[in-house]
């Protein structure tokens, strides 16, 4: 019997390790693919994190934030993100050591002034904030090499987090592989977790320490806060305080675990000794940072400096339902600076999963309270998880209410290893009899979402237009064209909406281009909807490729097609036929690029088609209107007219 038990134990351990290796392989593959697919500096705040690292490499000292905005002798390191000046430095110091020997000229790509077009819609239209060039493709060098090495640093942190989450799952459910695998899949196959893993961002360092502290807190509950566990908690918390300001909140899990342990043992001395040890060890590691803040700024946490953003109060706005929805979507996956949402069905499935789980948690609490089965449910562990998650959520909500850019659920990711066990516990409360089926369903769903989001959706969003042959171009155009702008841009043909377009809708223009010569300038393509008096009733300006393929990236002989959506923005009182007028200009100088036909004849007004625009509702009928009905060609119907004295 003992031999059989030993074999079962070995088999269980092997299966648990198999889950870990599969999770590590999936996270490594997907985060590496995310890193390779993501253009430089598109992930949130990646440019500022990169600049912080480069500052440490070049200056070999920590930056000092500017307190007096009027002081000319103090320059601001990050013009676009002043709040990045005084972040805790651990992530950046290690990153600087990794890239210190790289010859990096700090080549920052030009910005795309038309980015974040239709930010709430799933599309490829101007989702890039920067105009990335071929110099940033593999094999990497210079700035691209620095960024991708720093992304590898983030991926390594993510893999460490996966390992600690696996340890947490094995500690929670040593004999239940299904719950452990479900918990791990919800946490590490979260598309936002994978996306941040492939980015230069200090989030994954604090996520790692948050996961470590939660696991150590569970271990402390199990072993009565042994001194070994206490020392590890102190070391981890000290490093967390040097990683991000939200490390302060990580006092909650170990603090609650300590209170519950001391209460269970009725030992005040245990509480005092362990509390003093954790705080002492943490301050021994991180205290210098807070002393520096106090000496430089007169603040321990430098909240006035970190809060150097325009508040909602200054803007005269308040948080809305949209902010809550936005936060929910960023919990599961909303890429870049929020302008790349996933299809809504994914968020609805995740919401359904969360609602079912919440109901299960309530049911479990009621059942335990009713039958007083506290000992069997390990309620201290769930209290630690719940208080940690609620505290992080409350802090994120406070930030959202006060900061117009604060609706980002990634701020609660240090508590991701508390959220995922709670979700699993709630779901399995309902379906305990079918736990194998539920486990496979959760894993399959999260794996499918991760593969779609990172493996298909992300590269589709940033993909350049497909290069075509003349035959393929001819199949996509309705009206051939013979217009050339400058020396390099040739319009091969167009296809324009052939249906009436109402106010508030878009006119679809498909334009097919050929490159005749290399260009060094990124010219802006514009479309105007002009009435007979040359009044613009709609306009669209964009770089070609919808921001992914500007003209400086064109090679002679390249041929491709773009589809541009031109909104009808002006209010219409009656139907009108407009010319679809196009052209190019230099964004910096606003100088128009001259156009000509293939025969060399200058063309001042390039019209590629006509579209009929319709008001949202017919014109109101007045008392002076004479009613009639007359039908004309092309579907025109006269329903009435107004007769007045001739002027």
């Amino acid at each position: 019997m003992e031999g059989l038990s030993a074999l079962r134990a070995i088999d269980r351990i092997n299966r648990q390790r198999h889950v870990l290796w599969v999770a590590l392989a999936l996270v490594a593959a997907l985060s590496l693919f995310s890193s390779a697919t993501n253009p430089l500096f598109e992930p949130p705040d990646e440019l500022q994190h990169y600049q912080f690292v480069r500052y440490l490499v070049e200056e070999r000292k920590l930056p000092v934030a500017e307190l007096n905005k009027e002081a000319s002798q103090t320059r601001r390191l990050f013009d676009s993100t002043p709040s990045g000046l005084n972040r805790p430095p651990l992530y950046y110091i290690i990153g600087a050591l990794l890239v210190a020997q790289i010859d990096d000229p700090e080549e920052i790509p030009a910005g795309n002034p038309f980015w974040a077009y239709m930010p709430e819609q799933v599309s490829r239209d101007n989702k890039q904030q920067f105009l990335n060039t071929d110099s940033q493709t593999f094999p990497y060098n210079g700035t691209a090499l620095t960024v991708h090495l720093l992304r590898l640093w983030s991926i390594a942190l993510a893999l460490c987090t996966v390992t600690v989450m696996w340890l947490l799952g094995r500690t929670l459910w040593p004999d239940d592989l299904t719950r452990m695998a479900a918990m791990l899949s919800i946490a590490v196959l979260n598309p936002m977790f994978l996306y941040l893993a492939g980015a230069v961002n200090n989030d994954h360092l604090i996520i790692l320490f948050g996961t470590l502290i939660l696991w150590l807190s569970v271990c402390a509950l199990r072993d009565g806060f042994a001194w070994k566990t206490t020392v590890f908690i102190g070391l981890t918390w000290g490093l967390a305080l040097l990683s991000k300001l939200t490390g302060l909140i990580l006092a909650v899990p170990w603090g609650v675990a300590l209170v519950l342990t001391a209460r269970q043992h009725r030992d005040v001395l245990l509480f005092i000794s362990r509390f003093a040890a954790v705080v002492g060890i943490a301050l021994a590691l991180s205290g210098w940072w807070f002393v520096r803040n106090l000496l430089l700024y007169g603040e321990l946490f430098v909240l006035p400096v970190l809060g150097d953003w325009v508040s909602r109060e200054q803007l005269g706005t308040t948080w809305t339902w949209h902010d809550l929805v936005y936060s929910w979507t960023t919990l599961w996956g909303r890429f870049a600076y929020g302008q790349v949402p996933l299809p809504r069905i994914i968020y609805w499935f995740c919401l359904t999963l969360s609602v079912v789980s919440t109901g299960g948690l309530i049911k479990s609490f009621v059942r335990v309270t009713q039958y007083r089965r506290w000992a069997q449910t390990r309620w201290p562990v769930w209290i630690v998880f719940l208080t940690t998650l609620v505290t992080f959520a409350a802090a994120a909500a406070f930030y959202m209410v006060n900061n117009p850019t604060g609706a980002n659920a990634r701020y609660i990711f240090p508590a991701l290893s508390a959220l995922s066990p709670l979700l699993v516990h709630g779901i399995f409360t309902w379906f305990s009899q079918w736990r194998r089926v539920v486990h496979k369903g959760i894993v399959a769903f999260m794996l499918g979402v991760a593969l779609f989001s990172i493996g298909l959706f992300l590269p589709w969003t940033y993909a350049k237009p497909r290069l075509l042959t003349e035959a393929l171009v001819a199949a996509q155009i309705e009206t051939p064209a013979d217009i050339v702008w400058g020396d390099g841009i040739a319009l091969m043909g167009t296809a324009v909406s052939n249906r009436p377009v109402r106010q508030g809708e878009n006119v679809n223009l498909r334009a097919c281009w050929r490159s005749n010569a290399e260009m060094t300038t990124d010219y802006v393509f514009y479309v105007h909807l002009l009435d007979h008096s040359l009044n613009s009733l709609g306009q669209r300006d964009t770089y070609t490729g919808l921001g992914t393929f500007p003209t400086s990236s064109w090679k002679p002989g390249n041929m491709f097609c773009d589809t541009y959506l031109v909104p009808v923005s002006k209010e219409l009182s009656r139907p009108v036929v407009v010319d679809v007028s196009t052209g190019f200009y230099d964004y910096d100088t606003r100088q128009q690029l001259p156009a000509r036909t293939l025969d060399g004849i200058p063309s001042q007004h390039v019209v590629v088609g006509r579209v009929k625009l319709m008001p949202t509702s017919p014109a109101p009928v007045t008392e002076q209107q004479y009613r009639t009905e007359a039908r004309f060609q092309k579907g025109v119907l006269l329903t009435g007219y107004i007769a007045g004295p001739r002027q």
Side-chain angles (χ1 to χ4, degrees):
M1 292 296 292
E2 292 182 1
L4 183 61
S5 299
L7 289 175
R8 289 177 177 174
I10 293 173
D11 180 64
R12 183 178 67 251
I13 293 173
N14 288 335
R15 286 187 288 119
Q16 289 174 345
R17 289 175 177 173
H18 178 72
V19 169
L20 173 62
W21 290 118
V22 170
L24 288 172
L26 286 173
V27 171
L30 289 170
S31 54
L32 280 169
F33 189 79
S34 173
S35 172
T37 303
N38 243 327
L40 261 60
F41 308 126
E42 292 302 324
D45 299 331
E46 185 172 68
L47 174 59
Q48 287 72 38
H49 294 296
Y50 159 81
Q51 287 179 318
F52 201 137
V53 171
R54 291 306 304 161
Y55 182 90
L56 294 178
V57 171
E58 294 174 358
E59 304 295 334
R60 299 183 181 276
K61 64 180 181 179
L62 293 173
V64 177
E66 176 188 349
L67 293 179
N68 181 8
K69 295 183 179 181
E70 303 298 326
S72 59
Q73 69 271 22
T74 306
R75 73 180 181 92
R76 189 180 298 282
L77 177 60
F78 310 130
D79 292 333
S80 59
T81 308
S83 62
L85 281 168
N86 207 54
R87 292 187 179 102
L90 183 58
Y91 176 86
Y92 308 102
I93 291 174
I94 299 175
L97 293 174
L98 293 173
V99 301
Q101 302 304 317
I102 297 176
D103 183 14
D104 179 6
E106 282 194 86
E107 295 177 343
I108 310 301
N112 178 10
F114 311 109
W115 73 290
Y117 185 73
M118 299 189 300
E120 298 299 326
Q121 296 187 20
V122 174
S123 75
R124 298 179 52 253
D125 199 336
N126 279 278
K127 298 299 183 178
Q128 286 192 208
Q129 187 181 4
F130 297 95
L131 301 177
N132 293 277
T133 62
D134 292 338
S135 64
Q136 299 167 13
T137 57
F138 188 83
Y140 307 120
N141 57 73
T143 300
L145 180 59
T146 299
V147 171
H148 281 280
L149 282 178
L150 292 174
R151 288 179 176 182
L152 286 177
W153 163 225
S154 294
I155 292 172
L157 292 172
L159 295 178
C160 292
T161 301
V162 172
T163 304
V164 179
M165 285 187 179
W166 175 79
L167 290 172
L168 175 61
R170 195 174 69 166
T171 303
L172 289 173
W173 301 295
D175 299 320
D176 194 338
L177 189 65
T178 58
R179 292 177 188 255
M180 185 186 73
M183 182 208 82
L184 205 58
S185 65
I186 289 176
V188 304
L189 293 180
N190 179 317
M192 199 67 187
F193 177 90
L194 296 168
Y195 180 78
L196 292 174
V200 182
N201 196 297
N202 62 349
D203 280 328
H204 262 287
L205 187 58
I206 194 65
I207 293 171
L208 171 60
F209 290 137
T211 306
L212 262 173
I213 287 181
L214 276 163
W215 175 56
L216 290 171
S217 299
V218 172
C219 293
L221 287 170
R222 182 188 59 190
D223 61 26
F225 248 91
W227 277 111
K228 180 180 179 180
T229 307
T230 302
V231 170
F232 279 122
I233 290 175
L235 292 172
T236 305
W237 191 43
L239 294 174
L241 293 175
L242 289 175
S243 303
K244 204 167 185 178
L245 189 61
T246 49
L248 291 168
I249 308 177
L250 290 176
V252 171
W254 69 260
V256 172
L258 179 56
V259 169
L260 294 175
T261 302
R263 180 180 179 274
Q264 181 182 4
H265 292 83
R266 298 185 179 182
D267 190 343
V268 177
L269 183 60
L270 182 145
F271 175 84
I272 295 174
S273 61
R274 285 1 180 231
F275 182 86
V278 171
V279 173
I281 294 171
L283 289 181
L285 280 175
S286 62
W288 66 270
W289 173 253
F290 299 105
V291 172
R292 176 181 183 271
N293 290 340
L294 191 62
L295 294 176
L296 285 175
Y297 313 114
E299 293 278 345
L300 278 176
F301 308 123
V302 205
L303 291 177
V305 177
L306 291 173
D308 190 8
W309 34 255
V310 179
S311 66
R312 290 188 186 272
E313 183 179 0
Q314 291 171 308
L315 291 176
T317 61
T318 59
W319 68 274
T320 63
W321 173 255
H322 174 268
D323 293 304
L324 290 176
V325 174
Y326 184 92
S327 294
W328 173 256
T329 59
T330 59
L331 177 63
W332 301 101
R334 193 180 183 105
F335 302 148
Y337 280 77
Q339 75 271 20
V340 185
L342 297 174
R344 291 185 179 181
I345 190 172
I346 293 177
Y347 303 129
W348 280 110
F349 270 116
C350 293
L351 179 61
T352 302
L353 190 75
S354 302
V355 170
V356 171
S357 175
T358 302
L361 290 173
I362 295 173
K363 176 185 176 182
S364 177
F365 176 77
V366 170
R367 186 170 57 190
V368 169
T369 304
Q370 183 178 1
Y371 296 102
R372 300 183 179 277
R373 295 177 178 174
W374 299 105
Q376 296 93 323
T377 58
R378 295 181 300 172
W379 61 271
V381 172
W382 302 114
I383 288 180
V384 168
F385 287 161
L386 190 60
T387 53
T388 301
L389 182 60
V390 168
T391 305
F392 269 94
F398 174 81
Y399 191 53
M400 178 188 71
V401 168
N402 289 277
N403 185 353
T405 65
N408 283 290
R410 62 187 173 90
Y411 300 139
I412 73 168
F413 271 31
L416 190 61
S417 49
L419 173 63
S420 54
L422 287 169
L423 288 174
V424 168
H425 183 66
I427 293 170
F428 275 71
T429 298
W430 292 109
F431 307 104
S432 58
Q433 300 299 322
W434 300 283
R435 64 179 185 274
R436 292 187 181 276
V437 176
V438 173
H439 144 255
K440 292 179 180 178
I442 292 174
V443 172
F445 170 72
M446 293 305 302
L447 179 59
V449 169
L451 291 174
F452 168 78
S453 303
I454 303 299
L456 296 176
F457 180 78
L458 191 63
W460 170 80
T461 300
Y462 294 124
K464 295 181 179 180
R466 184 167 64 99
L467 297 181
L468 305 173
T469 62
E470 287 194 23
L472 291 175
V473 169
Q476 295 197 40
I477 61 178
E478 296 176 357
T479 306
D482 58 352
I483 303 297
V484 177
W485 284 269
D487 296 325
I489 304 173
L491 179 63
M492 301 179 68
T494 60
V496 185
S497 305
N498 56 9
R499 61 174 181 83
V501 179
R502 296 188 178 275
Q503 176 189 335
E505 296 179 343
N506 296 311
V507 172
N508 286 16
L509 168 64
R510 183 164 63 247
C512 295
W513 307 104
R514 182 183 63 246
S515 174
N516 290 340
E518 290 192 5
M519 292 165 280
T520 58
T521 302
D522 292 320
Y523 293 104
V524 177
F525 174 67
Y526 69 83
V527 186
H528 289 269
L529 306 178
L530 302 178
D531 64 10
H532 66 283
S533 299
L534 298 183
N535 297 315
S536 179
L537 303 183
Q539 176 180 343
R540 181 71 197 280
D541 294 47
T542 179
Y543 289 113
T544 50
L546 301 175
T548 65
F549 199 36
T551 53
S552 64
S553 299
W554 294 12
K555 304 299 181 184
N558 286 167
M559 291 179 285
F560 67 97
C561 297
D562 273 342
T563 298
Y564 307 98
L565 303 180
V566 187
V568 181
S569 55
K570 297 295 184 180
E571 184 176 351
L572 303 175
S573 59
R574 63 182 183 275
V576 60
V577 176
V578 296
D579 290 336
V580 181
S581 176
T582 63
F584 284 87
Y585 66 90
D586 186 327
Y587 184 83
D588 294 327
T589 65
R590 293 300 194 272
Q591 184 176 356
Q592 190 88 3
L593 194 63
R596 67 182 189 279
T597 65
L598 292 179
D599 297 330
I601 302 174
S603 179
Q604 300 295 327
H605 187 56
V606 179
V607 176
V608 296
R610 289 185 174 180
V611 179
K612 183 178 181 181
L613 306 183
M614 302 287 292
T616 54
S617 58
V621 178
T622 63
E623 295 181 357
Q624 292 79 19
Q625 189 173 38
Y626 293 90
R627 298 179 181 275
T628 184
E629 182 173 317
R631 296 185 181 275
F632 299 89
Q633 293 181 349
K634 296 185 179 181
V636 177
L637 175 66
L638 177 64
T639 59
Y641 62 93
I642 299 175
R646 183 176 298 175
Q647 301 294 327

